[in-house]
Amino acid sequence: MRDTYILGIESSCDETAAAVVRSGEELISNVVYSQIATHQPYGGVVPELASREHLRAIVPVVRKALEDAGKSYDTIDAIAVTQGPGLAGALLVGLSYAKALAFAADKPLIAVNHLEGHIHAVLLEERQNANRELQFPVLALVVSGGHTHLYLAELRDSGWTYRNIGHTRDDAAGEAFDKVAKLLELGYPGGPSIDFLAQHGDPQAVKFPFAQIKHRDRNPQNRHAPDEHRTDFSYSGIKTAVLRYVEVHQMAESIQRRRDAMKALAKPKPDDYLAACDRQTIDLVASFQRAVVDDLVGKTLTAAIDRGVATLLVTGGVAANSELRATFERRAAEEGLAVLFPSRKLSTDNAAMIAAAAYPRFLAGEFAGTEVSSDPSLKLG
Ligand code: KG4
Ligand code: ZN
């Protein structure tokens, strides 16, 4: 079969990204412009600033992705873009630009769900490394700043299908990392910083018990059959538990000292945060991470075993976490399950995953019309 080159564009949150992928199996170029510096002073993504930054970055980012790939608008076969879920204004920038490009270059446009993209980040690299045949059934955990979702993924003649069997009832796991880091003045985004600091602390120091979710999801948007067995998550409780711990142990002063020390530095690095943390803070961070990791791994493995799953895919920004990877690897091996992650570069938001997810749709001729619009709450499965 002839090689197919797809240009992917991603702008759903705070990364403006473009990439060229060959036939869903080889990364040819991958450009990610991160807006971290813009949002850092606010300790979280500011939607209006994100849209403005996407507008600024999208043209040079797409140009660079084509240039790095040695491609032009004439020599690519299709343009793929994130349709949702994500921030409304941010999605609009990518989709409008992709639509205009597809129209001007007379190329087909493929609209991709961002969550499906995260799943295909793993599949792309598996094919690229030609490791082995994927064993089904496949269960995918998409765990990021906006999502903690479990999907059973199947490959049919018509392409991939997904069935959601669990999600977070409140905060996403990555959101908990970010909020706890903000509370403790450990920098933004919180995940990478906590990942580093936790390696220096005692994960047994503070016990954070996770409640099992027994009641049904009352959110009318998430209606499921009454007898359906689901695996839901919840991460807002642990964030409140960390806050309580900080209050009870009167840590406000030590947090303020760290805030002042970090303000004095132009670009604080992980080691600077470490030097500005006392033992109590480091232990708290390590215990928080251990609790979240144990909950994610425990629930996902139970769901996998209950459903006779053969392969686990763990993807999304939080899949970059060292302890999450190590724990999944160890516990999945004990259960005789294969567990696959994307490389760290493709764990967080990127456009290669969008171009890879678009390939089966390209083969099936599933193209978007000019009326396609972005959907901030687009669902998968
Ligand atoms: O997939 P992503 O780039 O964007 C979303 O779709 O949300 O994920 C970003 C999230 C942030 O919450 C960030 O703190 C978290 O992923 N993250 C991590 C790590 N690296 C990024 N969380 C834990 N450990 C990490 N090493
Ligand atoms: Zn994402």
Side-chain angles (χ1 to χ4, degrees):
M1 204 186 310
R2 187 177 84 79
D3 284 339
T4 302
Y5 291 89
I6 299 184
L7 168 68
I9 298 177
E10 151 66 36
S11 72
S12 66
C13 190
D14 59 345
E15 264 99 21
T16 318
V20 175
V21 172
R22 183 185 59 78
S23 304
E25 64 178 30
E26 190 192 354
L27 185 60
I28 308 292
S29 69
N30 185 35
V31 179
V32 180
Y33 166 72
S34 165
Q35 303 178 1
I36 285 178
T38 305
H39 303 289
Q40 212 147 30
Y42 306 95
V45 179
V46 184
E48 289 79 4
L49 294 183
S51 314
R52 196 181 70 190
E53 287 291 298
H54 284 307
L55 269 176
R56 276 204 192 131
I58 196 139
V59 175
V61 164
V62 169
R63 275 201 193 133
K64 175 130 182 35
L66 285 173
E67 205 177 285
D68 289 357
K71 289 277 163 194
S72 67
Y73 294 122
D74 291 335
T75 55
I76 52 162
D77 297 285
I79 296 167
V81 64
T82 306
Q83 183 183 15
L87 300 170
L91 288 167
L92 196 59
V93 175
L95 189 79
S96 312
Y97 186 60
K99 252 195 208 183
L101 269 186
F103 180 74
D106 195 20
K107 298 289 172 184
L109 180 68
I110 301 166
V112 174
N113 185 309
H114 181 84
L115 302 173
E116 181 177 21
H118 275 302
I119 293 172
H120 281 261
V122 189
L123 301 174
L124 161 65
E125 291 190 311
E126 271 302 293
R127 286 189 289 263
Q128 181 156 290
N129 302 332
N131 280 348
R132 68 207 109 165
E133 279 284 301
L134 198 63
Q135 298 295 314
F136 287 86
V138 168
L139 181 67
L141 170 67
V142 182
V143 60
S144 69
H147 301 91
T148 309
H149 280 42
L150 273 177
Y151 295 99
L152 283 171
E154 269 184 65
L155 181 58
R156 304 214 174 123
D157 287 346
S158 53
W160 285 86
T161 60
Y162 310 90
R163 187 151 72 85
N164 179 269
I165 60 155
H167 63 185
T168 178
R169 297 281 183 93
D170 39 57
D171 291 356
E175 202 176 341
F177 274 91
D178 294 338
K179 285 179 176 168
V180 164
K182 188 172 178 179
L183 168 71
L184 297 174
E185 289 288 339
L186 299 174
Y188 166 83
S193 178
I194 289 181
D195 191 346
F196 172 77
L197 295 171
Q199 291 165 26
H200 299 269
D202 173 8
Q204 312 290 352
V206 188
K207 294 269 173 283
F208 289 115
F210 266 94
Q212 290 303 313
I213 304 169
K214 296 221 169 69
H215 62 277
R216 289 192 55 72
D217 192 348
R218 294 185 198 94
N219 182 343
Q221 281 194 329
N222 298 324
R223 282 194 198 286
H224 304 289
D227 56 344
E228 191 185 5
H229 178 56
R230 297 185 55 79
T231 304
D232 284 348
F233 303 89
S234 164
Y235 294 108
S236 81
I238 190 161
K239 172 194 68 189
T240 314
V242 172
L243 177 63
R244 277 285 299 143
Y245 186 92
V246 164
E247 286 168 356
V248 168
H249 294 83
Q250 295 165 353
M251 294 171 73
E253 232 174 79
S254 106
I255 294 174
Q256 184 60 42
R257 270 200 302 278
R258 186 159 48 253
R259 182 179 298 134
D260 295 340
M262 294 304 106
K263 258 198 196 134
L265 303 173
K267 259 194 172 178
K269 295 194 186 55
D271 275 329
D272 299 322
Y273 283 104
L274 181 60
C277 283
D278 50 20
R279 170 92 354 242
Q280 191 177 34
T281 305
I282 297 287
D283 287 347
L284 175 61
V285 161
S287 304
F288 159 80
Q289 178 173 283
R290 170 61 61 87
V292 173
V293 164
D294 279 351
D295 185 72
L296 278 169
V297 175
K299 284 190 178 144
T300 304
L301 280 179
T302 303
I305 294 160
D306 285 354
R307 291 167 189 269
V309 161
T311 307
L312 268 178
L313 310 183
V314 181
T315 184
V318 182
N321 186 271
S322 335
E323 191 175 343
L324 185 79
R325 284 177 181 243
T327 310
F328 257 122
E329 263 158 13
R330 182 172 45 79
R331 302 234 350 238
E334 284 164 13
E335 301 296 341
L337 267 164
V339 58
L340 311 176
F341 302 90
S343 61
R344 282 198 167 72
K345 181 179 72 177
L346 293 196
S347 293
T348 47
D349 288 351
N350 64 85
M353 66 188 201
I354 303 302
Y359 181 60
R361 298 190 189 279
F362 179 89
L363 294 179
E366 273 178 47
F367 301 130
T370 48
E371 74 296 341
V372 64
S373 55
S374 50
D375 182 352
S377 49
L378 187 66
K379 293 241 184 306
L380 180 67

